[in-house]
């Protein structure tokens, strides 16, 4: 074994696929890339996510308490990175990166048409926002694009490096 710089630990423990988070405030939709999130409950589905206080989306999420988590397949990787490399303060990010906003059914932020899944969410817990920028979201409506068969997601490993889902394993489980 050899020392690993503590600043590199996050590259080993990234929790899941890179997703897009959409928000809407004062009639203006925004989209950002996000990789710091995790499931915290099955039913109702609860997701914890970190949104930096420096992000344009933070203000809208905190004020409106609504968002959409859109899950892109690997084919959208360049657009996802583009969404993560610019700010919504500078204009319409949907147009800038070439993504299509679709109306959601239960929240104001839009779905992302190109993504294989979209999760409409409401903020249900903000106790850790001031300390860690951590929001707990309840998924109130979920959508899946049936035309996208077996989508593969991307996982951020830091500094522009991504892993892509690969081979699936099926191992018997006794968990319900």
């Amino acid at each position: 074994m050899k020392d690993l710089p503590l600043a590199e630990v996050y590259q080993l423990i990234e929790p899941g696929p890179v997703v897009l988070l959409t928000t809407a405030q004062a009639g203006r939709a925004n989209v950002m890339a996000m990789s710091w999130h995790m499931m915290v409950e099955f039913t109702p589905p609860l997701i914890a996510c970190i949104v930096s206080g420096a992000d344009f989306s933070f203000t809208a999420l905190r004020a409106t308490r609504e968002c959409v988590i859109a899950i892109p397949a690997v084919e959208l990787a360049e657009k996802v990175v583009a969404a993560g490399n610019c700010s919504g303060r500078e204009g319409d990010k949907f147009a800038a990166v070439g993504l299509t906003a679709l109306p959601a059914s239960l929240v104001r932020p839009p779905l992302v048409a190109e993504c294989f899944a979209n999760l409409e969410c409401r903020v249900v817990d903000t106790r850790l926002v001031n300390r860690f920028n951590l929001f707990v979201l309840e998924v109130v409506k979920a959508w899946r694009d049936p035309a996208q068969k077996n989508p593969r997601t991307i996982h951020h490993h830091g500094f522009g490096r991504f892993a892509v889902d690969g081979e699936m394993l099926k191992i018997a489980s006794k968990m319900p």
Side-chain angles (χ1 to χ4, degrees):
M1 291 291 196
K2 185 177 147 180
D3 280 344
L4 175 70
L6 295 178
E8 296 177 14
V9 170
Y10 81 95
Q11 296 172 19
L12 302 173
I13 304 293
E14 285 293 336
V18 177
V19 299
L20 295 170
L21 179 105
T22 73
T23 56
Q25 187 176 25
R28 185 167 170 218
N30 191 46
V31 60
M32 65 169 271
M34 179 176 71
S35 61
W36 288 18
H37 53 81
M38 68 178 188
M39 292 298 303
V40 293
E41 185 57 81
F42 292 106
T43 307
L46 298 178
I47 300 170
C49 69
I50 305 288
V51 179
S52 170
D55 288 332
F56 185 65
S57 297
F58 178 90
T59 303
L61 182 58
R62 186 175 222 175
T64 67
R65 300 176 66 94
E66 295 182 331
C67 66
V68 168
I69 294 176
I71 307 170
V74 64
E75 292 78 11
L76 292 177
E78 289 188 18
K79 291 182 180 192
V80 170
V81 171
N85 285 335
C86 63
S87 172
R89 288 179 188 90
E90 300 162 3
D92 180 354
K93 280 177 66 173
F94 277 92
V97 301
L99 294 171
T100 309
L102 294 176
S105 89
L106 299 178
V107 299
R108 284 168 295 192
L111 310 178
V112 180
E114 293 82 2
C115 289
F116 72 85
N118 283 269
L119 311 175
E120 297 184 32
C121 301
R122 290 200 178 105
V123 175
V124 293
D125 194 324
T126 58
R127 287 177 286 181
L128 296 174
V129 170
N130 288 339
R131 187 165 180 199
F132 297 111
N133 297 329
L134 187 143
F135 294 85
V136 178
L137 312 171
E138 180 179 347
V139 179
V140 295
K141 178 77 175 165
W143 302 90
R144 183 174 182 95
D145 179 355
Q148 295 192 48
K149 308 276 189 220
N150 303 312
R152 295 183 313 145
T153 56
I154 59 173
H155 301 260
H156 188 244
H157 282 263
F159 305 103
R161 295 176 331 150
F162 296 85
V164 178
D165 279 346
E167 178 184 355
M168 296 292 283
L169 301 176
K170 183 153 174 81
I171 300 171
S173 172
K174 294 182 180 181
M175 297 300 292

